[in-house]
Amino acid sequence: MRPEASGPAARPSPEGRSIRSRHLTHFGVLEATSTGESLRDVTGWAGDPDPRLIINNVASSQHHPTRVRRPAVRQGWLEGGPGGGGRGSEPFVEVSWGEALDLVSAELRRVYTAYGSSAVYGDSYGWSSAGRFHHGQSQLHRFLNCLGGYVSAVGDYSYGTSGALLPHVLGSSPAHVMEGATTWEVICANTELFLSFGGLSEKNSAVGPGGIARHGNRSEVGRARAAGCHFVDITPIQDDTFAEAGVEWIAPRPGSDAALMLGLAYTVDAEGAADRQFLDEYTVGYDRFIAYVRGESDGVPKSPEWAAAITEVPASTITDLARRMARSRTMINVSWSMQRQHHGEQPIWLGVTLAAMLGQIGLPGGGFQHGYGSSADVGLARRVVSPPRLPQGRNRESSYIPVARIADMLLNPGSVIPFNGTEVTFPRIDLVYWVGGNPFHHHQDLAKLHRAFQTPSTVVVHEQFWTSTARHADIVLPATMTIERNDFGAGRNDPYFFPMPALTAPVGEARDDYAIFSALEERLGLDQSFTEGRSADQWLDHLYTDWRAHLAELGHDVPDFAQFMKSEYIKIPVKDRHQVLHAEFRSDPVESPLATPSGRIEISSDVIESFGYDDCPGHPVWLEPYEWLGQRDKRYPLHLISNQPKTRLHSQLDVGETSQRSKISGREPARMSPADADARGLSTGDVVVIRNERGACLAGLVVSEALRAGVVQLSTGAWYDPDPNDPSFCRHGNPNVLTADLPSSALSQGTTAQHALVEVERWEGPLPPISVDKPPRFTERRPARSAHGSEPGGTPADRVIRDRTD
């Protein structure tokens, strides 16, 4: 079989003539006119049925004043040598590439020699790069592995909580569950009731890890509805879905979904609608769970009336929904957002359990999924093989942390935390190396993270823009954007595989991460263990050629590398357009068991029970969140939902035109219901302060009927812009000055950044200036002096270079 190949791809002319070009991004494939220096007339790809506006952030941000144009070093570090303090507030000194690379290589040599790999934290959390070779995480990890390894992070912020849970329950990671998701084609033909906890987000469906070629979810949802599928969204935000779904909206108190699901389970059981044959053959632990639901184990029946008191959803609504679930071919979808909260394991586990009670797991159009509407790729058929990527090598360092515990690690070296049945000891980190990503976007309690970032001796960052993370670094190296380098890419599960030739020259002195690490390899004498003697373009040819040979072994022919790079795209074959999650397991649970201890779905888990965690026992339960409206905290009577933005991906390209157009008086927009706004004398367009005991931020108000009363929605991703004298106050609207750095549970140690209690008031004073839309302060290098006058030896940083390289 020969995968489909397109015609020739457009390229920028070497003579600089304007010519139409294409490029894969997280947000879709853009088409633009390239002058060689910039892109103009950006549109979505003609092959995309539903291109999204956020693609305009790419070209509009390329030459923004916040681009990092030259290597820069924090003044205090340059003059005083390695050491914390002053990060995020001191000016930078621009230096030559030669000096910057000498400083970085000297620091790497110092730390690895003195302390070993356990003192180096290497991270890259920029979501999966659209290019598969110039992938920040792969580049960084491969390089640090050549030095002996690094302290790694396990899990992720997107679905780290379910990442710990689902292997115990289904024997699979969330990524594997999503890769095998029942396709939209099957849903359109079979699903009668599509029940989404956390919504079926249109905005999240605009993006995909590694990119997305065709945005097909809107049309698929419309097709399913036209075929008779009824969509029900359970979320505090009514419009967090496709209008084409025509959803029925149920809005429980935020954080109470587990109670609602238990009420549904109670009704299914009480009315004899549970499929006992399926439960007996394909699951373990149901009897222990249902004894809890009935109240036999704790004296509290989890009836619809019990659930109604917690959720504020009428008991009749719960009963009616349970009956419809039982008589319909029902898909139970639980969004990623549901597990980014305190006790976030419970709604995920209960989603699986409800689907098992209905007996529809493995049936066309029924069962469970974790991610429809959370990413554009969920619902696409699995490919025969993934696209090629740069191998990272082996990490010889055994120390690691759960990804959301970075602040705790930096502030509390030597402390021990429980994690997924083990104990993790925080290492003492002397050097942080970050390539791609912005922890000052995705982490909670940013004032705490600001303090934590003062503790290492050195922080090195490769960045395209002066993000908050770059401003908290010691050495900042300017990196290229994807449109400024050659690569290839395909999104997760996306069959469209694109060549990605550079469309423009790099801005300023920006270099590829690969070029930076290649230069460091030479300075550190690594004997080409990182580069293997290849240039970046030679790596692309090598990786593609090996991948092509592997495909040929599988019976699939693709063009050679030169032909591929001249084409528009090729299509990787898929295994089964009609795939159904867990169909093989349902067909024969003996021959196709799950990778759980029992080989079956674990409604109760003896393994989790053995851990003895009070905040995540051995079967799904209702546990009251740390912060929620049920507390009736009079100081903070509103529940903040910090969901994903419509106008960008996370914090990426917040300076782009689509993101900037959404701002109100330069601040991130926040939404609240008319009742809550009227009670506070607020109107659309007001600048408000959102506050709690951890911090405060400014935002521009939008009053909306789409919000449940008592809820405020402020999207994540506004670049953190702290008051110079108060890191807990963000002038721009980053909600993570308000969220608690609290793990979901001891099982996952996952982030809880989706929820917090707050109060909202009108901002009455003069508006403080925004600074993150401009470069940081720069200064000239001051001559080094000793107590006796001029010091010919140079600055401490100069001496580090000399001492370590002589």
Side-chain angles (χ1 to χ4, degrees):
M1 178 180 180
R2 184 177 182 85
E4 178 184 334
S6 76
R11 283 175 177 68
S13 164
E15 292 81 22
R17 295 190 304 270
S18 296
I19 191 167
R20 204 67 180 163
S21 308
R22 299 179 187 89
H23 200 80
L24 177 66
T25 77
H26 290 309
F27 329 108
V29 179
L30 65 79
E31 292 188 349
T33 299
S34 174
T35 67
E37 299 295 327
S38 62
L39 300 181
R40 300 172 183 169
D41 306 320
V42 176
T43 64
W45 177 45
D48 187 346
D50 185 24
R52 305 299 181 87
L53 286 176
I54 58 173
I55 207 165
N56 293 325
N57 286 333
V58 179
S60 60
S61 62
Q62 184 185 14
H63 293 274
H64 193 270
T66 55
R67 274 301 295 266
V68 182
R69 283 169 164 76
R70 297 191 66 210
V73 184
R74 180 170 63 88
Q75 183 184 34
W77 193 98
L78 186 66
E79 296 178 353
R87 294 192 182 109
S89 59
E90 287 187 347
F92 286 85
V93 177
E94 292 187 326
V95 300
S96 69
W97 264 108
E99 181 175 2
L101 292 168
D102 284 343
L103 288 169
V104 174
S105 60
E107 267 302 270
L108 289 167
R109 185 179 288 111
R110 178 186 71 81
V111 175
Y112 275 98
T113 299
Y115 307 113
S117 55
S118 65
V120 177
Y121 183 68
D123 209 346
S124 170
Y125 199 87
W127 227 42
S128 298
S129 167
R132 302 319 301 148
F133 174 73
H134 291 291
H135 176 224
Q137 185 180 86
S138 298
Q139 295 281 342
L140 174 64
H141 290 174
R142 178 181 175 86
F143 175 72
L144 294 180
N145 283 336
C146 293
L147 294 174
Y150 59 95
V151 175
S152 60
V154 299
D156 56 49
Y157 286 84
S158 293
Y159 41 78
T161 297
S162 51
L165 175 76
L166 286 182
H168 293 291
V169 177
L170 293 177
S172 302
S173 69
H176 187 265
V177 169
M178 288 180 279
E179 184 182 80
T182 299
T183 62
W184 279 107
E185 187 166 346
V186 175
I187 289 170
C188 290
N190 296 279
T191 303
E192 297 171 306
L193 180 63
F194 195 107
L195 179 60
S196 286
F197 290 89
L200 183 65
S201 179
E202 175 186 4
K203 58 183 173 53
N204 293 6
S205 299
V207 298
I212 186 69
R214 302 180 78 255
H215 293 90
N217 287 357
R218 186 189 307 280
S219 61
E220 299 288 7
V221 167
R223 283 180 56 215
R225 184 187 179 195
C229 180
H230 183 70
F231 289 87
V232 178
D233 273 10
I234 298 176
T235 168
I237 304 172
Q238 184 179 22
D239 60 357
D240 197 11
T241 190
F242 291 93
E244 289 77 3
V247 297
E248 173 188 343
W249 182 35
I250 298 174
R253 282 174 174 166
S256 69
D257 297 83
L260 175 60
M261 296 163 109
L262 287 165
L264 293 170
Y266 181 97
T267 304
V268 171
D269 171 63
E271 300 198 350
D275 188 335
R276 285 300 317 212
Q277 182 177 352
F278 181 88
L279 291 164
D280 291 343
E281 187 173 355
Y282 295 94
T283 77
V284 296
Y286 177 71
D287 288 340
R288 195 187 329 169
F289 165 74
I290 206 62
Y292 167 77
V293 172
R294 295 168 180 168
E296 297 168 357
S297 60
D298 65 355
V300 181
K302 312 308 180 296
S303 66
E305 292 73 21
W306 169 86
I310 295 171
T311 65
E312 296 184 340
V313 174
S316 59
T317 300
I318 298 172
T319 300
D320 174 68
L321 180 59
R323 290 169 177 167
R324 285 187 282 157
M325 291 164 59
R327 66 173 180 256
S328 305
R329 181 58 59 88
T330 301
M331 175 62 72
I332 297 175
N333 178 50
V334 186
S335 75
W336 298 356
S337 63
M338 295 305 301
Q339 48 86 64
R340 287 195 289 264
Q341 59 179 308
H342 198 208
H343 309 310
E345 295 82 3
Q346 305 310 314
I348 308 302
W349 206 344
L350 282 162
V352 175
T353 301
L354 280 171
M357 291 180 70
L358 299 179
Q360 297 187 21
I361 291 176
L363 292 180
F368 166 83
Q369 184 47 237
H370 183 34
Y372 292 118
S374 295
S375 177
D377 60 288
V378 182
L380 297 176
R382 186 185 290 113
R383 300 170 298 202
V384 296
V385 66
S386 295
R389 63 186 63 195
L390 180 69
Q392 297 185 15
R394 184 174 70 89
N395 186 2
R396 288 170 281 173
E397 173 54 50
S398 60
S399 299
Y400 68 92
I401 62 166
V403 68
R405 301 274 66 81
I406 179 174
D408 289 339
M409 172 189 69
L410 294 175
L411 290 169
N412 304 294
S415 296
V416 179
I417 61 168
F419 172 56
N420 205 3
T422 65
E423 290 188 335
V424 171
T425 300
F426 291 141
R428 184 176 297 278
I429 299 300
D430 198 54
L431 186 147
V432 172
Y433 208 133
W434 211 288
V435 177
N438 182 9
F440 284 89
H441 149 65
H442 54 247
H443 199 72
Q444 312 106 280
D445 195 346
L446 292 182
K448 177 182 175 182
L449 187 64
H450 170 83
R451 295 195 306 273
F453 257 65
Q454 308 305 316
T455 60
S457 292
T458 300
V459 177
V460 180
V461 169
H462 299 191
E463 249 300 348
Q464 295 104 339
F465 297 90
W466 282 105
T467 64
S468 303
T469 299
R471 294 168 197 253
H472 281 79
D474 299 308
I475 304 173
V476 181
L477 304 180
T480 51
M481 296 176 67
T482 63
I483 56 176
E484 299 166 351
R485 60 202 184 204
N486 293 331
D487 211 330
F488 45 54
R492 182 176 61 188
N493 254 30
D494 192 343
Y496 289 84
F497 184 29
F498 284 84
M500 298 167 60
L503 304 187
T504 74
V507 168
E509 298 180 15
R511 296 184 181 182
D512 301 341
D513 298 320
Y514 183 77
I516 296 170
F517 289 131
S518 298
L520 291 172
E521 172 186 68
E522 184 176 354
R523 280 167 167 77
L524 292 165
L526 296 180
D527 196 25
Q528 298 188 339
S529 57
F530 173 75
T531 62
E532 297 184 17
R534 298 186 182 96
S535 68
D537 287 345
Q538 288 171 333
W539 264 110
L540 290 171
D541 191 337
H542 170 72
L543 293 171
Y544 180 91
T545 301
D546 280 358
W547 178 77
R548 179 180 182 235
H550 177 54
L551 266 177
E553 293 172 358
L554 298 175
H556 305 290
D557 294 329
V558 297
D560 64 25
F561 180 69
Q563 291 175 302
F564 167 67
M565 291 301 289
K566 292 177 182 177
S567 71
E568 183 178 356
Y569 62 83
I570 63 174
K571 286 187 73 174
I572 304 171
V574 301
K575 294 182 178 181
D576 180 7
R577 291 188 303 110
H578 302 98
Q579 76 181 21
V580 173
L581 181 65
H582 293 132
E584 295 85 357
F585 167 65
R586 186 183 185 103
S587 177
D588 193 335
V590 175
E591 291 299 318
S592 301
L594 303 181
T596 58
S598 65
R600 294 186 279 176
I601 298 166
E602 304 231 344
I603 293 175
S604 297
S605 167
D606 290 339
V607 173
I608 294 178
E609 182 72 24
S610 72
F611 298 159
Y613 298 148
D614 292 339
D615 55 6
C616 190
H619 61 74
V621 297
W622 159 251
L623 296 169
E624 186 174 344
Y626 173 73
E627 289 186 23
W628 73 302
L629 291 175
Q631 295 173 200
R632 298 300 186 191
D633 189 321
K634 301 301 182 184
R635 297 174 302 159
Y636 308 115
L638 298 172
H639 194 117
L640 174 70
I641 302 291
S642 59
N643 63 348
Q644 292 303 312
K646 290 184 177 181
T647 58
R648 59 185 172 269
L649 169 59
H650 302 309
S651 68
Q652 291 181 23
L653 308 180
D654 188 26
V655 294
E657 65 178 30
T658 301
S659 184
Q660 288 298 304
R661 276 201 301 265
S662 72
K663 309 286 183 178
I664 298 174
S665 297
R667 325 291 153 163
E668 188 69 14
R671 298 198 299 169
M672 67 191 314
S673 73
D676 292 324
D678 290 346
R680 291 160 177 79
L682 301 174
S683 302
T684 293
D686 287 344
V687 174
V688 296
V689 58
I690 307 174
R691 60 175 176 80
N692 62 18
E693 60 190 7
R694 287 177 291 274
C697 68
L698 298 183
L701 185 65
V702 177
V703 180
S704 172
E705 296 278 1
L707 272 290
R708 182 195 194 275
V711 171
V712 180
Q713 178 252 316
L714 176 64
S715 293
T716 65
W719 285 0
Y720 173 54
D721 194 4
D723 182 284
N725 300 311
D726 182 4
S728 71
F729 178 55
C730 178
R731 300 170 290 187
H732 190 204
N734 190 309
N736 277 336
V737 294
L738 303 162
T739 54
D741 193 7
L742 174 80
S744 177
S745 75
L747 179 80
S748 67
Q749 294 289 340
T751 183
T752 55
Q754 197 89 15
H755 295 254
L757 290 180
V758 299
E759 180 55 290
V760 178
E761 300 166 347
R762 180 182 287 106
W763 178 259
E764 299 291 358
L767 280 177
I770 300 291
S771 67
V772 289
D773 58 351
K774 307 171 188 65
R777 289 184 299 134
F778 293 106
T779 189
E780 297 296 323
R781 188 196 307 262
R782 294 181 296 200
R785 294 182 178 276
S786 68
H788 304 288
S790 297
E791 186 176 330
T795 68
D798 293 331
R799 294 194 298 277
V800 167
I801 294 174
R802 187 180 63 245
D803 293 344
R804 296 299 175 185
T805 57
D806 282 352

